[in-house]
Amino acid sequence: MVNIILLGPPGAGKGTQAKKLVDERAMVQLSTGDMLREAKSSGTEMGRRVAEVMDKGHLVTDEIVIGLIEEKLAQGGSGFIFDGFPRTLKQADALGELLARKGQKLDAVIELVVDDEALVARIVRRAEESAAAGQPVRADDNPEVFAGRLREYYKKTAPLTGYYYAKGDLRQVDGMASMAEVGEAIAKVLDRT
Ligand code: B4P
């Protein structure tokens, strides 16, 4: 089975599309955002430190995040969707090494391309919908913190598109389309991979 990365700014729809691929293709979603939110709610010292960083919209340290992925990969398997990982060049190098150690490789890096205004609108809507449903609102889902998350993205994560383009792995998908259309575009990429 293929291993892919879903790349894109915060709110681009990486988690949304990863869940669809899990349902439709029995792939395995490895979301560092979900892992970190789980750590946050665990009440441990590590969780407390992670919460402080995430709630400000900053990136958690490479060491913590790479450690989480290493643990998951050690459990075996293939057909991974790396969702929200890597987010820095150091994480990208680490992922290449971890997969090579397992005798595996990346088959495609799918970038969801969405403009900044649409991203902010999605995040505001998610916060409103969670509040209306009586569910907890993510602390990083507000326009001020989101502006910081976008800055972190352009500074630390956007360079990964050039990194994977140079390796011939990058595939771009229009993330502005509806969720179903984005899903179809990703399916086409996977069918050609
Ligand atoms: P993540 O959990 O990765 O989340 P995300 O950036 O919010 O976005 P995602 O792209 O998954 O968006 P979603 O599908 O939910 O990161 C959160 C934080 O964790 C980071 O800021 C950082 O602090 C930390 N972190 C995570 N990984 C890290 C790493 N590797 N290194 C360091 N720190 C790390 O979609 C968003 C909304 O849009 C949803 O409401 C959805 O319904 C809607 N939507 C999706 N697709 C749509 C479409 N096509 N049209 C309209 N709406 C759509």
Side-chain angles (χ1 to χ4, degrees):
M1 263 227 264
V2 294
N3 296 314
I4 64 164
I5 292 175
L6 289 180
L7 196 65
K14 303 179 293 287
T16 304
Q17 295 301 329
K19 287 188 178 62
K20 207 162 142 59
L21 290 170
V22 169
D23 291 344
E24 295 172 2
R25 299 196 178 226
M27 294 178 75
V28 180
Q29 178 188 13
L30 294 183
S31 160
T32 40
D34 287 350
M35 292 174 209
L36 292 169
R37 279 185 285 278
E38 204 178 296
K40 230 179 103 167
S41 56
S42 67
T44 59
E45 173 56 23
M46 196 262 253
R48 200 190 51 72
R49 278 189 285 129
V50 162
E52 244 172 58
V53 176
M54 280 179 91
D55 293 354
K56 285 189 197 137
H58 297 158
L59 291 184
V60 173
T61 64
D62 288 331
E63 287 64 30
I64 289 181
V65 179
I66 292 167
L68 290 171
I69 289 288
E70 191 170 9
E71 246 174 60
K72 293 283 177 187
L73 291 181
Q75 292 166 14
S78 67
F80 296 110
I81 308 160
F82 296 97
D83 161 11
F85 178 90
R87 265 177 155 97
T88 64
L89 289 167
K90 188 165 177 195
Q91 292 178 22
D93 284 336
L95 178 59
E97 280 165 27
L98 289 171
L99 285 173
R101 246 189 260 161
K102 286 167 63 71
Q104 296 191 32
K105 63 176 180 55
L106 271 176
D107 297 285
V109 176
I110 301 176
E111 184 192 8
L112 303 180
V113 182
V114 182
D115 71 37
D116 292 358
E117 276 169 37
L119 295 171
V120 178
R122 284 181 190 182
I123 291 309
V124 168
R125 191 168 59 234
R126 175 161 67 187
E128 286 169 355
E129 284 172 358
S130 299
Q135 289 162 357
V137 175
R138 270 172 56 169
D140 56 350
D141 271 357
N142 69 67
E144 293 76 41
V145 176
F146 192 74
R149 289 168 67 192
L150 263 186
R151 274 198 301 276
E152 287 272 275
Y153 171 77
Y154 285 115
K155 202 159 85 188
K156 298 178 178 163
T157 310
L160 294 183
T161 57
Y163 174 94
Y164 286 117
Y165 177 80
K167 289 179 184 282
D169 292 334
L170 190 71
R171 310 283 180 271
Q172 288 184 318
V173 160
D174 175 14
M176 298 284 288
S178 70
M179 290 182 201
E181 287 166 333
V182 176
E184 281 163 25
I186 292 175
K188 274 194 197 145
V189 171
L190 292 184
D191 291 341
R192 284 197 300 262
T193 299

